[in-house]
Amino acid sequence: MKVFGLAGWSGSGKTTLVKQLIPALIQKGIKLSTIKHAHHNFDIDTPGKDSYEHRHAGATEVMVASGSRWALLHELRKEAEPTLDELIAKMTPVDLLLVEGFKFDPIDKLEIHRPSIGKDLLALQDDHIVAVASDEHIPNLPDHCKLLDLNNLEEVLDFIVDHTGLA
């Protein structure tokens, strides 16, 4: 399974790009999954639902299954947050695993960078960033990075497919 990351500061457009890339990659015949990092406490369960009640009663894991999908909810209960490698190991193998977030993990990544949000370029400190997709020219781009046009989905798509060897 190939693993490729999309990193950038909040508000840079990571999720927007991922939402565009998923159907385009699938159209190329690539089976893919995603992992998304959240920097805040989140809940995908609803108070009053049985699974929510199971978790709040103390269950460490609750699996919910139907004819359409299944989900496994795991409460850390003061355990350390799992590493990206530990999370990847839990995924069913596919052709490509897109990782959104985890901007400081040592995987090849595309940085989504918009100078207009006023944040530093991550690629200046991270050799695992192999390309930067931006809506503006980046004059101080490191030699190890390729500059891509964030508004050109085909260019970004082709780079990811070529870089991961899925062409």
Side-chain angles (χ1 to χ4, degrees):
M1 178 166 67
K2 307 290 184 176
V3 177
F4 190 77
L6 288 98
W9 298 106
S10 179
S12 62
K14 296 179 302 295
T15 300
T16 299
L17 181 58
V18 170
K19 287 182 352 187
Q20 295 170 339
L21 286 171
I22 291 170
L25 288 161
I26 290 169
Q27 189 172 23
K28 289 188 173 285
I30 296 170
K31 187 174 180 182
L32 68 102
S33 294
T34 65
I35 293 179
K36 164 76 173 113
H37 188 261
H39 290 284
H40 48 80
N41 198 9
F42 71 96
D43 204 338
I44 60 171
D45 210 357
T46 308
K49 294 293 184 182
D50 294 345
S51 53
Y52 180 91
E53 299 303 327
H54 294 185
R55 283 189 309 118
H56 283 270
T60 298
E61 289 189 332
V62 176
M63 183 176 288
V64 182
S66 74
S68 302
R69 70 190 53 86
W70 64 268
L72 177 63
L73 303 168
H74 180 96
E75 290 294 319
L76 292 176
R77 307 249 185 250
K78 299 186 182 181
E79 296 172 23
E81 180 177 348
T83 65
L84 179 56
D85 286 340
E86 290 168 335
L87 294 171
I88 291 170
K90 294 178 184 304
M91 299 293 291
T92 300
V94 291
D95 299 324
L96 176 62
L97 177 61
L98 286 178
V99 176
E100 181 182 340
F102 295 91
K103 63 179 156 263
F104 301 112
D105 280 73
I107 60 168
D108 284 358
K109 296 181 281 289
L110 168 69
E111 178 179 354
I112 294 79
H113 183 75
R114 292 184 191 268
S116 62
I117 66 171
K119 296 286 191 173
D120 292 336
L121 187 66
L122 295 169
L124 296 175
Q125 294 102 26
D126 187 349
D127 291 340
H128 290 98
I129 293 175
V130 295
V132 174
S134 182
D135 56 353
E136 295 183 32
H137 176 70
I138 308 291
N140 58 343
L141 195 64
D143 292 338
H144 69 273
C145 288
K146 180 173 178 148
L147 180 61
L148 305 173
D149 180 354
L150 181 57
N151 297 313
N152 185 338
L153 182 63
E154 283 300 316
E155 181 181 28
V156 174
L157 179 69
D158 289 345
F159 176 82
I160 293 171
V161 169
D162 289 343
H163 183 80
T164 57
L166 292 170

